[in-house]
Amino acid sequence: MLQIDHAHGYKLIAQNGTLQRETFASMTAGPGEVIIEVAACGLCHTDLSFAFHGVPTRHPLPLVLGHEIAGRVVAAGEGAESFHGRSVIVPAVIPCGKCKACRAGRPTICRDQFMPGNDGNGGFATHVLVPARGLCTVPDELPPGVSLEMLSVVADAVTTPYEAIVRAGLGNDDVAVVVGAGGIGSFGVQIAAAFGAAVVAIDVDDARLAVAGDHGAAVTLNPENVAAKDIRNAVRELSRTSGKGSLGLKIFEMSGTAAGQETAFGLLDHGGYLAVVGFTTDKVSLRLSNLMAFDATARGNWGCDPARYPAALDLVLGGKVKLAPFVEQHALDELPQLFQSAANHQLRRRPIVVPNGKEYR
């Protein structure tokens, strides 16, 4: 089977958050393509940026958003037949695999990449058509407490911080400072702890910090209650007592806020490493010469190399990264209200959107 009829989903009509339910024309899987029956699609801060904050999608509107997709392949084109019937996670950024960047081992800067919900229709629908390259297959049998719906967040919220942490070379001898303990930061804390680092979580929300403390953070700090100087002292104290971080802190900015970015940059020390993982359109004022003075490094990452997805998934399946405490499930027809609630910061957990009437285990 190569074609699916009667799929439906929600398209963003304008950058004021207006979503409209539509039934789509027939989808046909061409060579190297698959059609996925969506188990769930996570709602990401990037979706809100497209919907409310003026960040343009590369494909013109109207467009189905959503790039955190897990589901089952129900149609496969020529060359992709091996995926038919498999449960998969769709990479949030799918490189072409052929260009100079891909051949040089830099697939995340591929200019011919496909991002669902940006370069074409995404996962806030019953079905989605995507390239088969880079798909991460999921075992048929999942551990207790893990469902295919939950694994949708692996597509971005888990793998993007995973990519940053791998690039940083984080290990047993390091102190990791995660700025922003909600959203992707909640998974960043867990991944850093799984890599053996002593972890500091910084957030303005005490409830998030409490959860971070239960899932890998040795120290939690709220910059609204703790002065910048005292934050630095607390991090140094953890370094001293743990015997880690002597060659420089490894700092992961995951809040996607100007204040968080300023806090993260202000923690750079000699030999320090700053990973910019969160996104904001706001500007910040920084003294870049600190990078020179501290012989420090700052680096961003756009998504994750699909080749790393299986290792990130293994952390989840092995119980080292928990999903259930950090996600909440919603029906597809809740999506318009869900966008508004997320934009108004009314949600405590990362929403995963499940097509109505469908259940996957």
Side-chain angles (χ1 to χ4, degrees):
M1 180 173 64
L2 300 179
Q3 183 172 299
I4 296 294
D5 298 318
H6 308 302
H8 68 271
Y10 281 84
K11 287 188 174 182
L12 179 69
I13 304 302
Q15 286 192 307
N16 58 5
T18 301
L19 297 170
Q20 182 172 302
R21 190 181 191 276
E22 291 190 15
T23 298
F24 308 140
S26 297
M27 292 183 183
T28 303
E33 295 180 330
V34 296
I35 298 173
I36 294 172
E37 186 174 42
V38 176
C41 182
L43 174 56
C44 175
H45 184 268
T46 303
D47 296 310
L48 300 181
S49 296
F50 291 146
F52 297 105
H53 302 149
V55 177
T57 54
R58 287 192 288 265
H59 185 287
L61 300 182
L63 183 70
V64 179
L65 301 182
H67 56 271
E68 288 190 339
I69 305 167
R72 290 193 176 93
V73 176
V74 293
E78 181 182 355
E81 295 90 348
S82 63
F83 288 108
H84 192 273
R86 299 297 304 272
S87 296
V88 297
I89 297 167
V90 181
V93 179
I94 305 171
C96 74
K98 299 176 181 179
C99 69
K100 186 174 182 179
C102 288
R103 295 196 309 271
R106 296 292 306 277
T108 54
I109 62 169
C110 170
R111 304 326 299 157
D112 293 321
Q113 65 185 229
F114 180 86
M115 179 179 178
N118 188 4
D119 295 295
N121 284 331
F124 293 135
T126 58
H127 299 78
V128 63
L129 173 69
V130 296
R133 58 184 183 271
L135 289 175
C136 178
T137 57
V138 174
D140 291 331
E141 295 293 328
L142 296 175
V146 177
S147 67
L148 186 57
E149 296 100 327
M150 290 180 189
L151 293 179
S152 60
V153 299
V154 172
D156 184 12
V158 173
T159 48
T160 296
Y162 180 84
E163 175 80 14
I165 286 168
V166 169
R167 288 185 183 186
L170 192 73
N172 288 325
D173 294 331
D174 290 314
V175 171
V177 181
V178 177
V179 180
I184 60 173
S186 64
F187 303 115
V189 167
Q190 297 183 75
I191 296 166
F195 274 56
V199 183
V200 178
I202 298 176
D203 201 286
V204 296
D205 187 314
D206 287 332
R208 287 177 179 170
L209 291 174
V211 176
D214 290 336
H215 290 84
V219 173
T220 60
L221 300 165
N222 186 331
E224 291 191 341
N225 303 326
V226 182
K229 178 181 177 181
D230 293 329
I231 289 176
R232 289 192 292 271
N233 288 338
V235 173
R236 292 190 189 108
E237 179 63 13
L238 177 62
S239 182
R240 185 188 68 79
T241 57
S242 67
K244 301 183 179 186
S246 61
L247 297 180
L249 299 172
K250 292 185 176 175
I251 306 157
F252 302 91
E253 203 302 297
M254 300 193 184
S255 74
T257 66
Q261 291 179 350
E262 290 174 354
T263 295
F265 194 84
L267 287 170
L268 276 174
D269 59 352
H270 289 92
Y273 182 101
L274 171 62
V276 181
V277 190
F279 174 80
T280 177
T281 56
D282 295 336
K283 295 181 179 180
V284 297
S285 179
L286 303 172
R287 189 172 69 183
L288 284 177
S289 294
N290 283 12
L291 293 174
M292 178 276 290
F294 292 133
D295 199 357
T297 302
R299 186 178 184 184
N301 67 284
W302 171 254
C304 177
D305 181 347
R308 299 203 203 276
Y309 274 58
L313 175 60
D314 283 346
L315 288 179
V316 175
L317 300 182
K320 293 183 177 179
V321 173
K322 304 293 186 184
L323 302 182
F326 304 98
V327 300
E328 59 184 37
Q329 184 171 310
H330 295 265
L332 180 60
D333 282 340
E334 295 178 53
L335 192 66
Q337 181 55 51
L338 195 60
F339 259 66
Q340 295 295 330
S341 297
N344 293 329
H345 308 288
Q346 295 171 335
L347 302 175
R348 300 299 303 174
R349 299 183 180 190
R350 195 173 192 85
I352 54 174
V353 179
V354 178
N356 297 345
K358 295 192 178 295
E359 298 218 357
Y360 295 86
R361 292 292 182 267

